[in-house]
Amino acid sequence: MSAGKNVDKSAVRWYQALAEAQAALTAHALATVVTVAGSAPRGAGSKMLITPDTLHDSLGGGRLEQLVVERAREKLARGQSGCLLEEIALGQHAQQCCGGHVQVLIELYPALAPRLALFGAGHVGQAIVTLLAPLGWQIDWRDSRAEQLTSATTPAGCEGRVARQTFNVLTELPTGKAAPGSEAVPVMAGSHVLVLTHDHVEDQVLIAALAARDDLASLGLIGSSSKWARFRQRLRGDLEEHQVARVRCPIGVPGIPGKRPEEIAIGVVAELLQIEARRSDEAALNSADKAARHGTSLQKSTSAQGTSLDSHGLTRQGARQLRAQFAPDAMHQTETTQKAE
């Protein structure tokens, strides 16, 4: 993953940024230089806070810092938690003339709350926010009508979980394109998405862009079965069948006959909670399987291969390898940064 989208917020120190990220339940990583052998840009104890979009403080800049940022963001994008111990030979791996060796501990904190990208600040959208924000969800709220978005209310105490942005997909269309690419629509990977704008044209353009993405947790469109039949017919000209099949429409759990905004919102939120619960269960099973394979790999690794840590801890053999790597006389003998995955 590229580190090219950095927003430098060096005025905010790493510990301030860490407190803010943890309070907001957003994804972040804390990188710490734990050992240094030879010449290096920064000494042991230097820290840097990394988020998907910002950097706070520094490990000395250059290729060393870029490698750490790329590694951290790659893992955060996959939702990985735990720790990584990265050993970097500055000459061999970072092309830096100082030529020393450093070990950097990267502590990974993925987004702890599910995220919803909500397009539409009408009555149903407001009712969804009222129900979902107190449950800890992060909500990226978008609407093309600035006044509507500004006047919409947020439950008391939940203001930090709701990010509002005026966004009109029709005016944000790239010039010369019939439909926007996914980069034209501000939705973070891993988000659930609900499209319920006041304009069917906006709805269709948003769905056309978002259904092409395979990195979303879910994608739902408000409307009747007849609305979806018309949309589906139009979308098949631009999308593959499996992409069209990603869209849920109508949205909401069945069996709730009422059409008041609050009733619709209850059904929609209930469905989202079900989808997120299934997704979390699948992620836990995948994590357990990966941890089992990782533990086997770690036992077979040697100290020359470096060490990766995770939330499941170390075997005794892995702990001995780690202590050996931290010993000053062993630091000069270590040759590579390959990780036991």
Side-chain angles (χ1 to χ4, degrees):
M1 176 175 284
S2 171
K5 60 176 180 177
N6 296 339
V7 175
D8 183 10
K9 292 190 175 181
S10 54
V12 178
R13 299 299 306 277
W14 68 265
Y15 48 85
Q16 296 170 310
L18 177 63
E20 292 173 2
Q22 293 192 340
L25 304 177
T26 54
H28 59 285
L30 180 63
T32 305
V33 177
V34 291
T35 63
V36 174
S39 178
R42 297 287 300 273
S46 300
K47 294 180 183 290
M48 179 182 204
L49 198 284
I50 302 163
T51 77
D53 300 299
T54 63
L55 302 175
H56 304 269
D57 282 320
S58 174
L59 299 184
R63 180 62 177 157
L64 163 65
E65 186 170 292
Q66 183 182 6
L67 287 171
V68 172
V69 171
E70 288 175 350
R71 180 71 163 164
R73 285 178 171 165
E74 174 191 359
K75 296 299 183 181
L76 289 175
R78 296 177 183 175
Q80 184 170 332
S81 61
C83 299
L84 300 172
L85 184 65
E86 298 288 335
E87 182 175 343
I88 301 172
L90 297 180
Q92 179 182 356
H93 303 108
Q95 295 80 50
Q96 292 184 217
C97 298
C98 39
H101 286 71
V102 300
Q103 285 184 312
V104 180
L105 182 67
I106 304 175
E107 301 171 71
L108 299 166
Y109 300 89
L112 300 179
R115 181 176 290 271
L116 172 66
L118 178 61
F119 290 89
H123 295 306
V124 175
Q126 292 182 49
I128 289 172
V129 171
T130 298
L131 290 172
L132 209 52
L135 300 181
W137 283 55
Q138 295 291 120
I139 301 175
D140 299 316
W141 207 357
R142 312 285 185 250
D143 199 292
S144 59
R145 303 163 295 172
E147 302 84 0
Q148 182 76 16
L149 192 62
T150 301
S151 62
T153 60
T154 300
C158 299
E159 293 81 3
R161 299 175 191 154
V162 181
R164 308 176 194 224
Q165 178 185 344
T166 303
F167 177 78
N168 187 338
V169 70
L170 302 181
T171 60
E172 295 291 336
L173 277 171
T175 304
K177 296 184 68 174
S182 60
E183 70 279 357
V185 182
V187 175
M188 290 181 59
S191 299
H192 297 270
V193 183
L194 291 177
V195 175
L196 35 93
T197 79
H198 67 294
D199 186 341
H200 282 202
V201 177
E202 284 189 39
D203 285 351
Q204 183 175 325
V205 175
L206 284 166
I207 289 294
L210 293 167
R213 292 180 54 166
D214 61 2
D215 62 348
L216 302 178
S218 69
L219 175 58
L221 168 68
I222 198 169
S224 63
S225 297
S226 58
K227 173 184 176 180
W228 176 233
R230 291 192 298 272
F231 271 40
R232 185 171 56 233
Q233 188 63 35
R234 297 167 187 167
L235 292 170
R236 281 174 173 162
D238 299 317
L239 299 172
E240 301 292 334
E241 189 60 36
H242 73 277
Q243 295 173 326
V244 176
R246 289 181 180 140
V247 184
R248 300 187 327 282
C249 185
I251 52 176
V253 296
I256 301 178
K259 294 187 177 181
R260 287 177 292 185
E262 295 80 7
E263 292 170 320
I264 296 172
I266 288 171
V268 171
V269 169
E271 183 182 45
L272 277 178
L273 295 175
Q274 290 176 341
I275 294 171
E276 179 60 21
R278 289 194 298 267
R279 183 167 173 259
S280 298
D281 289 344
E282 291 172 1
L285 289 173
N286 292 336
S287 177
D289 180 65
K290 182 177 179 181
R293 288 185 281 108
H294 176 78
T296 302
S297 172
L298 182 59
Q299 291 178 21
K300 293 179 179 179
S301 68
T302 66
S303 60
Q305 291 179 299
T307 305
S308 288
L309 309 178
D310 62 21
S311 59
H312 297 278
L314 289 171
T315 62
R316 290 185 179 181
Q317 181 180 354
R320 287 195 297 270
Q321 293 172 0
L322 183 58
R323 284 195 295 271
Q325 285 185 319
F326 271 79
D329 57 343
M331 278 297 300
H332 298 281
Q333 300 172 13
T334 307
E335 298 175 351
T336 183
T337 60
Q338 291 183 346
K339 299 294 175 289
E341 296 286 1

